[in-house]
Amino acid sequence: MKRLAATCAACALLTGISGASAQEYTKGTSYIEPRGGVYATTNPNVDVVGTYGGAAGHYVMDGVALEAEGLGYAVDQKVKRTTSLGEATTTESNNAVGVAGMAKWNFMRTPKGTMFVGAGGGGVFAEKELPHNGQKQSGMGQADLGGSVALGRNVSLRVAGRYQHLGSFSDKGLDSLGGNVGLKISF
């Protein structure tokens, strides 16, 4: 976390010399955004999903950005195993990496903040089956609703609620609902 904060501060200082306003959102501007989140799930075999990573985006139209996102996933999941005495349940950690493309529309823009919606999809690659008895590699879809507040000329704090689906549309898939926070650095 200290390295992430130091990297964000360095980028903010560097982009503060010349760059786009944090709330400009005009065609041709770009951004990077470290972000992290926490999600609850509907799958009884998964307790909580944590994400960490970031995104890079570019505004292709005023208020509309295309974004590439790379996230690490830390998943607490229950594993059921058959034993000679019946069935045993244990909790284990599962780590994964996800990549996604998203489109975001900032439908309300002011000099001090924005509101946006976003949607996209990609893939998740886990070290173990996600969820247990699921798949190690699977597709994903996601949708965001959020907003941002300008903290400085080139930096804004972004908060979003997100729905995310990982894997197949069965009991071997995973629906999650939660939120993420990011520090958006525009240039």
Side-chain angles (χ1 to χ4, degrees):
M1 290 307 284
K2 290 179 183 178
R3 288 182 187 166
L4 179 62
T7 302
C8 292
C11 289
L13 290 173
L14 291 174
T15 58
I17 296 169
S18 67
S21 171
Q23 301 301 324
E24 197 170 284
Y25 302 102
T26 56
K27 181 179 178 179
T29 60
S30 299
Y31 62 90
I32 59 171
E33 182 183 309
R35 65 175 65 143
V38 177
Y39 304 88
T41 74
T42 59
N43 190 301
N45 295 322
V46 178
D47 294 326
V48 68
V49 176
T51 62
Y52 53 91
H58 183 76
Y59 284 90
V60 295
M61 295 172 37
D62 288 352
V64 178
L66 296 180
E67 180 178 279
E69 177 182 69
L71 294 177
Y73 289 79
V75 181
D76 289 336
Q77 64 186 26
K78 295 175 186 153
V79 178
K80 296 177 183 172
R81 291 189 173 87
T82 304
T83 67
S84 59
L85 300 174
E87 189 173 80
T89 301
T90 59
T91 301
E92 69 179 13
S93 294
N94 191 355
N95 297 307
V97 174
V99 292
M102 290 190 73
K104 289 197 173 175
W105 173 44
N106 293 275
F107 60 89
M108 187 179 89
R109 301 184 305 270
T110 72
K112 298 205 184 268
T114 68
M115 295 219 32
F116 64 86
V117 294
V124 175
F125 309 92
E127 66 181 358
K128 302 171 191 165
E129 294 173 340
L130 178 65
H132 179 66
N133 292 332
Q135 301 170 331
K136 287 186 178 180
Q137 296 88 26
S138 63
M140 82 146 109
Q142 56 196 27
D144 285 354
L145 173 63
S148 65
V149 176
L151 299 177
R153 175 165 158 53
N154 300 35
V155 180
S156 59
L157 177 67
R158 188 199 55 78
V159 177
R162 175 176 283 185
Y163 163 78
Q164 190 169 46
H165 180 83
L166 307 173
S168 65
F169 287 96
S170 69
D171 62 346
K172 294 185 180 183
L174 171 63
D175 288 310
S176 61
L177 187 61
N180 58 64
V181 176
L183 190 63
K184 183 176 175 187
I185 303 163
S186 302
F187 52 93

